[in-house]
Amino acid sequence: MLPERTDVLIVGAGPTGLTAALTLARRGVEVTLVDQREEPAVTSRAAVVHAYTLEMLDRLGAGAPLVARGLRSVRFTVRDRDRVLVTVPFDRLPTRHRYALMVSQSVTEEVLTERLAEAGVRVLRPCRLTGLHHDGDGVVARFDAATVRTPWVIGADGIHSTVRQLSGIPFTGPAGSEESFVLADVHVDSTLPRDGASIFLARGGPMIWAPLPDGRVRLVATVTDPPAEPDAAYLQGLLDERGPGRAPDRVREVLWSSRFRLHRRVAEAFRAGPVLLAGDAGHVHSPAGGQGMNLGICDAVDLGETLADVLAGASENRLDEYAARRRPLAHEVAGFADRLTRLATVPPAARPARDTLLRLVSVLPPLRRRVALRLSGLNQRPSVGRDRPGGPVRTAGR
Ligand SMILES: Cc1cc2nc3c(=O)[nH]c(=O)nc-3n(C[C@H](O)[C@H](O)[C@H](O)COP(=O)(O)OP(=O)(O)OC[C@H]3O[C@@H](n4cnc5c(N)ncnc54)[C@H](O)[C@@H]3O)c2cc1C
């Protein structure tokens, strides 16, 4: 049952909304978290949690239980068929999490939901936001059968965000940035090592091969015109065309498969008065590099901490600062994911130059370290961010 009033209303109980609610609840803020779905999604979706995100989740008591359910990937390898172009090791990262954690998004959401229940908050479902009315006293949020008054609304309601649309915030990006992807969790016979993920740079587009717990492998590939439910034969075709050549992988079983299409988009503002955006509501981009959900979780911790400070008496300007630091970061991460895709699709004549560049990364430790910091998200941490040419990106530390 929806309350008549709440201190913070969070719309959307994906990883971003759950994390924002947990951050606020642990700071003693009264929060209402709603989702339009009757049940949480049980599909795999985003499969990697990077080191910086794990550090953020540690602050919420959610890191250790998640690590216990995932698989540690200690390196990221860039390949062209059987040739290794670059190996980026994570074992020297300046963190206690010297790996990327491979775990399905439904497990990440389960762990966050469990922690949230311990903090006394449960997701109210199904509750679909249909209207937002601003008045001098805050916002009245309309649902199918009720209204809720609140001073603050967090839009964590994903790519088609109703909160963003009702607030008139444009969601913009470069023309022609639409890409289609195939995703699948499979069992394969493979000679690839299971303690690291690989990206294959192939003429048809990149293909990610990443180990998951229980002997599963996640495949993600950029394709044109993907089928609705890619089957074993389709996935075998992708592996034959893009994967290892000498000892090709053999698909034994498809456990889950899907496709999605997206444009690269970033919201033109992350704050409009009492409305704040985080996660996919604020940014979407290619899954190359596995950054999307990670960025959303880190947005949510930053926003939750900043809003808790404001509710405890800090200036509301702190929320403008949240928006000002997260938006450029969203652009930067979207650009990084695009560059990974472009590296795969360079024309044949440019391939030798690309490969030379990647080998240079491979043999120069400072460059390798820079790529590892960026993939892991640790370049966002102030103490580590000094390595970045643009200087540190602040997060709301406490
Ligand atoms: C098939 C698929 C595969 C993906 N694979 C990858 C991957 O490999 N790597 C990667 O990084 N990312 C991947 N993603 C993207 C990743 O899932 C998202 O980045 C992540 O879920 C974003 O989290 P979020 O909490 O911001 O939004 P979401 O997870 O989209 O959550 C938004 C929530 O808001 C709710 N909601 C929406 N509108 C309303 C409303 N009006 N009222 C109430 N509730 C509402 C929805 O029901 C939903 O639960 C994939 C996505 C899909 C769909």
Side-chain angles (χ1 to χ4, degrees):
M1 171 107 154
L2 281 165
E4 280 176 20
R5 307 181 69 93
T6 183
D7 287 347
V8 179
L9 173 67
I10 302 176
V11 184
T16 304
L18 289 165
T19 306
L22 183 56
T23 308
L24 284 158
R26 285 170 63 98
R27 291 282 302 276
V29 175
E30 184 265 321
V31 48
T32 299
L33 173 59
V34 297
D35 199 288
Q36 65 184 2
R37 294 177 61 104
E38 263 180 57
E39 299 288 339
V42 291
T43 50
S44 190
R45 294 160 293 146
V48 56
V49 183
H50 287 296
Y52 187 58
T53 312
L54 288 169
E55 287 187 353
M56 294 288 117
L57 293 175
D58 281 340
R59 285 152 73 157
L60 304 174
L66 190 59
V67 170
R69 295 181 64 179
L71 183 98
R72 297 172 190 211
S73 166
V74 296
R75 71 182 76 82
F76 185 72
T77 304
V78 182
R79 299 170 189 266
D80 181 350
R81 306 301 304 251
D82 297 309
R83 278 188 310 144
V84 171
L85 300 175
V86 188
T87 296
V88 180
F90 294 137
D91 59 351
R92 299 242 168 124
L93 285 172
T95 170
R96 79 179 76 96
H97 301 291
R98 296 194 182 92
Y99 48 85
L101 189 75
M102 305 307 305
V103 62
S104 85
Q105 185 171 328
S106 55
V107 172
T108 303
E109 291 177 6
E110 252 174 61
V111 167
L112 288 166
T113 304
E114 283 160 19
R115 292 282 84 80
L116 197 55
E118 284 166 19
V121 180
R122 64 183 185 88
V123 182
L124 303 181
R125 347 173 145 255
C127 298
R128 184 171 67 98
L129 179 83
T130 55
L132 278 182
H133 170 71
H134 297 230
D135 61 20
D137 209 16
V139 174
V140 177
R142 198 167 56 245
F143 293 85
D144 289 331
T147 58
V148 178
R149 175 171 279 286
T150 182
W152 300 107
V153 179
I154 295 181
D157 48 347
I159 185 167
H160 303 295
S161 172
T162 308
V163 173
R164 186 187 65 230
Q165 289 173 32
L166 290 172
S167 306
I169 301 174
F171 202 37
T172 54
S177 62
E178 190 185 77
E179 288 184 295
S180 300
F181 303 90
V182 157
L183 292 106
D185 289 356
V186 292
H187 280 134
V188 283
D189 293 324
S190 177
T191 53
L192 291 168
R194 281 193 55 80
D195 60 351
S198 294
I199 182 165
F200 287 87
L201 302 183
R203 206 170 297 179
M207 180 182 76
I208 294 168
W209 186 108
L212 284 170
D214 308 323
R216 288 170 292 145
V217 167
R218 161 62 61 89
L219 299 175
V220 184
T222 313
V223 293
T224 44
D225 247 352
E229 276 185 39
D231 61 10
Y234 183 88
L235 297 165
Q236 186 63 56
L238 279 177
L239 281 163
D240 290 346
E241 183 198 309
R242 304 186 187 186
R246 276 196 297 273
D249 280 14
R250 286 284 153 248
V251 178
R252 276 192 283 118
E253 190 184 5
V254 180
L255 302 160
W256 170 76
S257 71
S258 185
R259 66 171 173 188
F260 69 102
R261 179 175 293 144
L262 51 81
H263 291 85
R264 174 179 162 181
R265 292 279 179 270
V266 176
E268 284 196 7
F270 279 25
R271 179 180 180 197
V275 172
L276 300 144
L277 298 183
D280 276 17
H283 45 74
V284 289
H285 53 79
S286 152
Q291 302 291 320
M293 181 185 75
N294 288 271
L295 196 58
I297 289 175
C298 295
D299 287 347
V301 174
D302 188 338
L303 177 54
E305 289 184 341
T306 307
L307 188 50
D309 287 346
V310 168
L311 288 164
S315 161
E316 275 190 29
N317 293 343
R318 295 276 308 279
L319 292 165
D320 295 325
E321 290 166 18
Y322 156 79
R325 65 182 165 258
R326 297 311 296 184
R327 247 192 109 244
L329 195 54
H331 276 295
E332 188 181 282
V333 169
F336 177 60
D338 269 7
R339 283 195 292 284
L340 277 178
T341 302
R342 281 205 300 274
L343 274 182
T345 49
V346 293
R351 289 180 157 223
R354 175 200 74 186
D355 294 355
T356 305
L357 178 80
L358 290 172
R359 272 193 213 99
L360 209 60
V361 174
S362 198
V363 296
L364 291 177
L367 279 182
R368 255 189 1 220
R369 177 179 155 84
R370 185 162 287 186
V371 176
L373 289 174
R374 186 177 267 258
L375 279 169
S376 63
L378 288 166
N379 64 329
Q380 298 169 41
R381 196 170 70 193
S383 58
V384 175
R386 276 193 284 276
D387 285 2
R388 298 170 62 248
V393 175
R394 285 186 46 217
T395 55
R398 288 177 49 74

